Short mmCIF file of all heavy atoms in Angstrom, two decimals:
data_model
loop_
_atom_site.label_atom_id
_atom_site.label_comp_id
_atom_site.label_asym_id
_atom_site.label_seq_id
_atom_site.Cartn_x
_atom_site.Cartn_y
_atom_site.Cartn_z
N THR A 6 -161.62 -20.63 125.27
CA THR A 6 -161.90 -21.23 124.03
C THR A 6 -163.26 -21.75 123.92
O THR A 6 -163.90 -21.61 122.91
CB THR A 6 -160.80 -22.37 123.62
OG1 THR A 6 -159.51 -21.73 123.66
CG2 THR A 6 -161.00 -22.93 122.36
N TRP A 8 -166.07 -21.13 125.56
CA TRP A 8 -166.80 -20.16 126.38
C TRP A 8 -168.25 -20.53 126.73
O TRP A 8 -168.76 -20.32 127.70
CB TRP A 8 -166.66 -18.73 125.81
CG TRP A 8 -167.34 -18.58 124.42
CD1 TRP A 8 -166.83 -18.87 123.23
CD2 TRP A 8 -168.76 -18.24 124.20
NE1 TRP A 8 -167.76 -18.61 122.20
CE2 TRP A 8 -168.92 -18.32 122.77
CE3 TRP A 8 -169.80 -18.02 125.05
CZ2 TRP A 8 -170.13 -18.01 122.18
CZ3 TRP A 8 -171.03 -17.66 124.44
CH2 TRP A 8 -171.14 -17.62 123.00
N ASP A 10 -169.41 -23.52 127.27
CA ASP A 10 -169.36 -24.45 128.30
C ASP A 10 -168.97 -23.85 129.61
O ASP A 10 -169.48 -24.12 130.67
CB ASP A 10 -168.39 -25.72 128.02
CG ASP A 10 -168.84 -26.52 126.84
OD1 ASP A 10 -170.14 -26.70 126.63
OD2 ASP A 10 -167.92 -26.88 126.02
N LEU A 12 -169.65 -20.63 130.47
CA LEU A 12 -170.71 -19.95 130.84
C LEU A 12 -171.85 -20.94 131.48
O LEU A 12 -172.52 -20.55 132.56
CB LEU A 12 -171.46 -19.19 129.76
CG LEU A 12 -170.63 -17.80 129.34
CD1 LEU A 12 -171.33 -17.13 128.23
CD2 LEU A 12 -170.71 -16.99 130.61
N SER A 25 -180.48 -19.23 148.05
CA SER A 25 -179.91 -18.61 149.29
C SER A 25 -179.69 -17.03 148.97
O SER A 25 -179.98 -16.21 149.82
CB SER A 25 -178.57 -19.21 149.79
OG SER A 25 -178.75 -20.45 150.22
N LEU A 27 -180.92 -15.20 146.52
CA LEU A 27 -182.13 -14.47 146.12
C LEU A 27 -183.42 -14.60 146.97
O LEU A 27 -184.43 -14.06 146.70
CB LEU A 27 -182.46 -14.89 144.55
CG LEU A 27 -181.42 -14.54 143.65
CD1 LEU A 27 -181.73 -15.08 142.23
CD2 LEU A 27 -180.98 -13.07 143.51
N GLN A 33 -189.24 -24.80 149.28
CA GLN A 33 -188.52 -26.05 149.20
C GLN A 33 -188.49 -26.57 147.76
O GLN A 33 -187.49 -27.11 147.37
CB GLN A 33 -189.08 -27.03 150.29
CG GLN A 33 -188.22 -28.33 150.31
CD GLN A 33 -188.71 -29.18 151.33
OE1 GLN A 33 -189.75 -29.01 152.01
NE2 GLN A 33 -187.90 -30.27 151.73
N VAL A 41 -180.67 -29.31 142.39
CA VAL A 41 -180.53 -30.52 141.62
C VAL A 41 -180.17 -30.20 140.11
O VAL A 41 -179.06 -30.69 139.73
CB VAL A 41 -181.68 -31.49 141.59
CG1 VAL A 41 -181.57 -32.63 140.68
CG2 VAL A 41 -181.80 -32.05 143.04
N ILE A 46 -176.24 -29.26 135.57
CA ILE A 46 -175.87 -28.34 134.50
C ILE A 46 -174.32 -28.09 134.69
O ILE A 46 -173.56 -28.16 133.77
CB ILE A 46 -176.59 -27.11 134.52
CG1 ILE A 46 -178.00 -27.27 133.85
CG2 ILE A 46 -175.94 -25.93 133.70
CD1 ILE A 46 -178.95 -26.02 134.07
N ALA A 48 -172.06 -29.96 136.24
CA ALA A 48 -171.34 -31.10 136.01
C ALA A 48 -171.13 -31.41 134.42
O ALA A 48 -170.16 -31.94 134.05
CB ALA A 48 -171.90 -32.41 136.74
N GLU A 62 -174.55 -31.47 124.99
CA GLU A 62 -175.32 -30.11 124.63
C GLU A 62 -176.84 -30.35 124.65
O GLU A 62 -177.53 -29.61 125.01
CB GLU A 62 -174.79 -29.70 123.24
CG GLU A 62 -173.32 -29.37 123.06
CD GLU A 62 -172.80 -28.45 124.09
OE1 GLU A 62 -173.52 -27.65 124.76
OE2 GLU A 62 -171.52 -28.45 124.33
N TRP A 63 -177.26 -31.66 124.11
CA TRP A 63 -178.65 -31.99 124.26
C TRP A 63 -179.10 -32.01 125.67
O TRP A 63 -180.19 -31.50 125.99
CB TRP A 63 -178.82 -33.37 123.54
CG TRP A 63 -178.71 -33.22 122.08
CD1 TRP A 63 -177.73 -33.78 121.26
CD2 TRP A 63 -179.82 -32.67 121.21
NE1 TRP A 63 -177.99 -33.49 120.00
CE2 TRP A 63 -179.30 -32.90 119.84
CE3 TRP A 63 -180.88 -31.97 121.41
CZ2 TRP A 63 -179.89 -32.22 118.77
CZ3 TRP A 63 -181.72 -31.62 120.29
CH2 TRP A 63 -181.12 -31.68 119.00
N VAL A 67 -182.19 -29.75 127.25
CA VAL A 67 -183.31 -30.31 127.87
C VAL A 67 -183.50 -29.73 129.22
O VAL A 67 -184.67 -29.52 129.73
CB VAL A 67 -183.24 -31.90 127.86
CG1 VAL A 67 -184.35 -32.41 128.75
CG2 VAL A 67 -183.42 -32.40 126.42
N VAL A 73 -187.45 -23.78 132.29
CA VAL A 73 -188.44 -22.95 131.89
C VAL A 73 -189.84 -23.38 132.24
O VAL A 73 -190.70 -22.50 132.67
CB VAL A 73 -188.37 -22.78 130.30
CG1 VAL A 73 -189.59 -21.84 129.88
CG2 VAL A 73 -187.07 -21.90 129.98
N SER A 75 -190.58 -25.86 134.70
CA SER A 75 -190.76 -26.46 136.00
C SER A 75 -191.51 -25.53 137.01
O SER A 75 -192.11 -26.21 137.80
CB SER A 75 -189.27 -26.71 136.57
OG SER A 75 -188.54 -25.60 136.75
N THR A 85 -192.34 -15.13 142.46
CA THR A 85 -191.75 -14.43 141.47
C THR A 85 -190.23 -14.65 141.25
O THR A 85 -189.81 -14.78 140.14
CB THR A 85 -192.11 -12.88 141.47
OG1 THR A 85 -193.59 -12.90 141.61
CG2 THR A 85 -191.73 -12.10 140.33
N THR A 86 -189.45 -14.54 142.28
CA THR A 86 -188.10 -14.61 142.12
C THR A 86 -187.65 -16.00 141.69
O THR A 86 -186.81 -16.12 140.68
CB THR A 86 -187.44 -14.29 143.54
OG1 THR A 86 -187.87 -12.94 143.95
CG2 THR A 86 -185.83 -14.31 143.41
N ALA A 87 -188.19 -17.07 142.25
CA ALA A 87 -187.94 -18.37 141.78
C ALA A 87 -188.34 -18.69 140.36
O ALA A 87 -187.62 -19.14 139.50
CB ALA A 87 -188.59 -19.37 142.69
N TYR A 89 -188.61 -16.22 137.86
CA TYR A 89 -187.69 -15.60 136.91
C TYR A 89 -186.34 -16.14 136.87
O TYR A 89 -185.75 -16.17 135.80
CB TYR A 89 -187.65 -14.01 137.26
CG TYR A 89 -188.96 -13.39 136.83
CD1 TYR A 89 -189.56 -12.46 137.81
CD2 TYR A 89 -189.67 -13.61 135.67
CE1 TYR A 89 -190.72 -11.73 137.41
CE2 TYR A 89 -190.77 -12.88 135.25
CZ TYR A 89 -191.27 -12.02 136.14
OH TYR A 89 -192.55 -11.37 135.78
N ILE A 94 -182.30 -18.54 133.64
CA ILE A 94 -181.25 -19.44 133.53
C ILE A 94 -181.52 -20.53 132.49
O ILE A 94 -180.76 -21.08 131.79
CB ILE A 94 -180.83 -20.00 134.92
CG1 ILE A 94 -180.09 -18.93 135.74
CG2 ILE A 94 -179.79 -21.21 134.83
CD1 ILE A 94 -179.84 -19.28 137.15
N GLY A 95 -182.74 -20.96 132.49
CA GLY A 95 -183.30 -21.94 131.59
C GLY A 95 -182.99 -21.45 130.13
O GLY A 95 -182.44 -22.28 129.31
N LEU A 104 -175.88 -22.66 120.62
CA LEU A 104 -174.64 -22.06 120.11
C LEU A 104 -173.54 -23.05 120.03
O LEU A 104 -172.80 -23.21 119.05
CB LEU A 104 -174.23 -20.86 120.94
CG LEU A 104 -174.94 -19.62 120.87
CD1 LEU A 104 -174.65 -18.68 121.86
CD2 LEU A 104 -174.88 -19.02 119.43
N ALA A 105 -173.30 -23.87 121.17
CA ALA A 105 -172.24 -24.87 121.07
C ALA A 105 -172.53 -25.94 120.09
O ALA A 105 -171.69 -26.38 119.39
CB ALA A 105 -172.10 -25.51 122.44
N GLU A 108 -171.80 -24.65 116.53
CA GLU A 108 -170.29 -24.83 116.25
C GLU A 108 -169.96 -26.06 115.67
O GLU A 108 -169.12 -26.17 114.77
CB GLU A 108 -169.53 -24.46 117.52
CG GLU A 108 -169.37 -23.01 117.84
CD GLU A 108 -168.51 -22.71 119.09
OE1 GLU A 108 -167.88 -23.73 119.42
OE2 GLU A 108 -168.32 -21.57 119.50
#
Side-chain angles (χ1 to χ4, degrees):
T6 302
W8 61 271
D10 298 321
L12 284 179
S25 297
L27 300 176
Q33 187 174 9
V41 171
I46 287 175
E62 304 305 339
W63 285 105
V67 169
V73 171
S75 65
T85 306
T86 305
Y89 287 136
I94 291 178
L104 286 172
E108 281 185 5

